[in-house]
């Protein structure tokens, strides 16, 4: 008889947190669900699962205050294929102004022209000109 493997703490945290804000829930409820429903070890993997489910903090969240990305860092003036792993730490994570949400703008438009697929020069020439 095969023995069934139990889910790791990351998968259990995702299940315990319940629906994400993208699925109609809200972050506060998601974290409350995690707090009351999660029964596993409260380790880094579980925390990453809760942050992913409740706040969309990606799996590459380093947990050390520096964001990591597999894409090229636009602040390093070299193309993606010449950037080191260390250069892909893109800056501080979770930086929020200490103001009431009502004082923040409802949205900010940031123009982003990536160009047509197959013609994205920045991938090979870098972002700096």
């Amino acid at each position: 008889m095969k023995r069934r493997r139990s889910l790791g703490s990351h998968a259990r945290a995702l299940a315990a947190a319940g629906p994400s804000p993208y699925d109609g829930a809200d972050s506060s409820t998601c974290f409350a669900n995690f707090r009351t429903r999660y029964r596993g070890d409260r380790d880094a993997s579980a925390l990453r699962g809760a942050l992913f489910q409740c706040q969309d903090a990606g799996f590459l969240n380093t947990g050390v205050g520096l964001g990591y990305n597999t894409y090229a860092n636009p602040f390093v003036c070299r193309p993606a294929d010449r950037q080191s792993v260390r250069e892909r730490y893109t800056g501080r994570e979770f930086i929020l102004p200490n103001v009431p949400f009502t004082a923040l703008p409802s949205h900010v438009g940031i123009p982003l022209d990536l160009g047509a697929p197959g013609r994205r020069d920045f991938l090979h020439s870098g972002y700096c000109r």
Side-chain angles (χ1 to χ4, degrees):
M1 184 173 224
K2 282 189 174 184
R3 188 172 167 209
R4 190 173 169 196
R5 285 175 79 180
S6 66
L7 294 174
S9 56
H10 187 271
R12 287 194 313 266
L14 291 174
S20 78
Y22 290 112
D23 294 325
D26 61 69
S27 291
S28 297
T29 302
C30 186
F31 280 115
N33 288 343
F34 172 74
R35 184 179 64 243
T36 58
R37 296 178 186 169
Y38 183 71
R39 299 288 179 248
D41 292 333
R42 294 189 180 261
D43 56 15
S45 184
L47 177 60
R48 284 177 189 240
L51 288 171
F52 173 77
Q53 190 72 355
C54 300
Q55 284 193 319
D56 194 30
F59 289 102
L60 296 176
N61 176 312
T62 63
V64 296
L66 296 174
Y68 179 80
N69 203 321
T70 56
Y71 296 122
N73 183 344
F75 298 111
V76 174
C77 292
R78 281 196 303 286
D81 58 355
R82 293 197 354 243
Q83 288 185 16
S84 70
V85 170
R86 181 176 294 267
E87 289 170 327
R88 300 219 182 161
Y89 283 92
T90 55
R92 310 279 293 152
E93 294 175 330
F94 305 100
I95 298 176
L96 300 172
N98 189 16
V99 298
F101 284 124
T102 55
L104 298 173
S106 62
H107 74 280
V108 176
I110 301 173
L112 183 61
D113 181 13
L114 295 176
R119 298 195 50 112
R120 295 180 175 153
D121 298 334
F122 64 90
L123 294 174
H124 302 287
S125 61
Y127 292 94
C128 306
R129 301 206 188 264

